[in-house]
Amino acid sequence: MSLRHGLLGLLAEGPASGYDLARRFEEHLGPVWPAQHPKIYAELSRLSKAGMIEVDSHGPRGRKAYRITDAGRAEVRRWLSEDAVDHTLRSESVLRSFFFWLMDPDDLHEHLRREQRYFTEIADLARGYAAAKDRGEYGTAPQTKSMRVALEAAIRVYQSLADWAEWAQTVPPATPEEDADTPRPPTPA
Amino acid sequence: MSLRHGLLGLLAEGPASGYDLARRFEEHLGPVWPAQHPKIYAELSRLSKAGMIEVDSHGPRGRKAYRITDAGRAEVRRWLSEDAVDHTLRSESVLRSFFFWLMDPDDLHEHLRREQRYFTEIADLARGYAAAKDRGEYGTAPQTKSMRVALEAAIRVYQSLADWAEWAQTVPPATPEEDADTPRPPTPA
DNA sequence: GAGCGCATGTAAAGGGTTACATGATTCT
DNA sequence: AGAATCATGTAACCCTTTACATGCGCTC
């Protein structure tokens, strides 16, 4: 369960409310770690009860900003350097590719073109953010340096998926003659 | 929810038991779509009740092999060509990178070296399978053609992550002088 | 006959999404 | 005054994992 640590990590940058954190998840972490507000508010309560964060300030409209505690900071650090990384890379796009043979060749081609377009778009978006960061638009704080590293991952991974989708379009569709493995009744000569 | 469709897709290749399917998920689909046996057995019951699969044969030790029905085949096809793709790419590795600035530089370097080694290993493994397929070791059935496409995704994505981890090791650690954004009390001259 | 791998399942708990619900403040 | 946005939370449901439980069949 990494949402807990994601929240602690974001709060290590400075105080923030549940609403702030939900927005940051949606805008930046969402593609690799989705989190909706109900889960975030629930987790914040738990973290608060556990003494890892505490209320920093109350604002308008019942806004409650949380601040990370020393215990919280220690916990993120412990997670980062001690906990084993879960390397699962859940991807519906790749899962579907196992079943491409079930698709009509035209549908598949159209699907791959759409996938290529989508992945290229995201890669370009990440490239845009990275360029802005490199121009110094986000300052030079250490957090932005890490953000730059994360963006580099996004650029490379999404570009590789775009290239894959493009390459897949060049793979010839399975022709009936090639379906040698599938047992079929002998054709009467 | 794609487990339902993953199971249907695998059963479209031929009859299989829950145990078989669990093994195939672990060996092939696991990295992109993990599924443990309790979930698989539960889903098979549901698919059976929905008329998308039916019991094909009973074997030793209570083994029950399922066969896909026409309704089931239609449902996988519908999913593949009509349902919107969920492009979320959940990755704890990338999530962690947002928080690298919290790590001790030596720990981070060690972490990145391990990540690079891991991703390289998986990419090489996928390359090995792909080469075997290209040598014709898995036959020429259309399913194996799709498997080859999925393997290509694995090769490209994991290689890009390995390259990223290698690149990240060359990013100089944040030095105190650069932390301009973080408000700090003025040093008494 | 001991041990391993095959084979199925239930139960409990945890993680995550969607829908519902409410109200305050700011902007036009 | 009305609309948009800020802001928090609950409830119900779904998805997923981990632990528990059982027993057969094959191999050594």
Side-chain angles (χ1 to χ4, degrees):
Chain A
M1 198 249 306
S2 302
L3 175 59
R4 152 185 260 99
H5 297 109
L7 291 172
L8 285 174
L10 288 178
L11 285 170
E13 296 179 18
S17 70
Y19 191 83
D20 295 339
L21 294 164
R23 256 195 309 139
R24 293 177 69 184
F25 260 94
E26 178 161 2
E27 286 171 19
H28 299 289
L29 313 183
V32 292
W33 210 267
Q36 283 71 27
H37 76 264
K39 195 76 220 298
I40 290 173
Y41 286 118
E43 196 61 48
L44 286 174
S45 295
R46 236 170 290 144
L47 283 169
S48 176
K49 220 173 285 173
M52 305 218 175
I53 61 175
E54 49 195 25
V55 175
D56 179 69
S57 67
H58 290 268
R61 291 169 265 208
R63 178 190 165 90
K64 250 191 309 184
Y66 289 93
R67 181 190 337 124
I68 195 170
T69 64
D70 287 342
R73 233 181 304 267
E75 172 56 19
V76 214
R77 292 217 158 92
R78 192 201 55 70
W79 171 62
L80 285 165
S81 54
E82 286 176 35
D83 277 10
V85 182
D86 175 358
H87 285 106
T88 311
L89 242 181
R90 222 172 248 270
S91 164
E92 209 195 278
S93 287
V94 180
L95 175 68
R96 278 171 187 244
S97 72
F98 279 93
F99 308 121
F100 280 170
W101 65 280
L102 288 164
M103 290 180 81
D104 168 82
D106 288 341
D107 281 1
L108 173 57
H109 208 262
E110 175 56 25
H111 170 75
L112 288 170
R113 273 166 37 89
R114 255 196 296 236
E115 290 282 269
Q116 185 190 348
R117 210 177 317 138
Y118 175 83
F119 289 130
T120 303
E121 216 168 89
I122 304 292
D124 285 343
L125 202 70
R127 260 187 279 266
Y129 282 127
K133 159 64 187 154
D134 291 343
R135 282 194 305 272
E137 286 177 29
Y138 298 113
T140 51
Q143 308 98 279
T144 69
K145 202 159 208 165
S146 293
M147 191 195 73
R148 180 63 183 81
V149 173
L151 280 169
E152 187 67 23
I155 294 170
R156 290 173 185 244
V157 170
Y158 284 107
Q159 188 58 54
S160 76
L161 284 167
D163 293 345
W164 168 65
E166 187 178 16
W167 167 85
Q169 289 169 57
T170 68
V171 176
T175 53
E177 305 99 81
E178 279 183 318
D179 304 3
D181 280 18
T182 320
R184 241 170 322 156
T187 358
Chain B
M1 198 246 306
S2 303
L3 175 58
R4 150 183 262 101
H5 297 110
L7 291 172
L8 285 174
L10 288 179
L11 286 170
E13 296 179 20
S17 69
Y19 191 84
D20 295 338
L21 294 164
R23 255 193 309 137
R24 292 177 67 185
F25 260 93
E26 178 161 2
E27 285 172 19
H28 300 288
L29 312 184
V32 292
W33 210 269
Q36 282 70 29
H37 78 264
K39 193 74 220 299
I40 290 173
Y41 287 118
E43 198 61 48
L44 286 174
S45 295
R46 237 169 289 146
L47 282 169
S48 178
K49 220 171 287 174
M52 305 219 173
I53 60 175
E54 49 195 26
V55 175
D56 179 70
S57 67
H58 291 267
R61 288 168 270 207
R63 178 190 165 92
K64 250 191 306 182
Y66 288 94
R67 181 189 339 123
I68 194 168
T69 63
D70 287 342
R73 234 181 305 267
E75 171 57 19
V76 214
R77 292 217 158 93
R78 194 203 54 72
W79 170 62
L80 285 166
S81 54
E82 286 176 34
D83 278 11
V85 182
D86 176 358
H87 284 106
T88 311
L89 242 181
R90 225 172 247 269
S91 163
E92 208 195 279
S93 285
V94 179
L95 176 68
R96 279 171 187 243
S97 72
F98 278 93
F99 308 120
F100 280 170
W101 64 280
L102 287 164
M103 290 180 80
D104 168 82
D106 288 341
D107 281 0
L108 174 57
H109 209 264
E110 176 55 25
H111 170 75
L112 288 170
R113 273 166 39 90
R114 255 194 298 233
E115 289 283 88
Q116 184 190 348
R117 210 177 316 140
Y118 175 82
F119 290 128
T120 303
E121 216 168 88
I122 305 292
D124 285 342
L125 203 68
R127 260 187 280 265
Y129 283 126
K133 159 64 186 152
D134 292 343
R135 280 195 305 272
E137 286 177 28
Y138 298 113
T140 50
Q143 309 95 278
T144 69
K145 204 160 207 167
S146 293
M147 190 195 74
R148 180 61 182 84
V149 173
L151 280 169
E152 187 66 24
I155 294 169
R156 290 173 185 244
V157 170
Y158 285 107
Q159 188 59 53
S160 76
L161 283 167
D163 293 345
W164 168 65
E166 187 179 16
W167 167 85
Q169 290 169 57
T170 68
V171 175
T175 53
E177 304 99 78
E178 280 183 313
D179 305 3
D181 279 19
T182 321
R184 241 170 321 154
T187 359

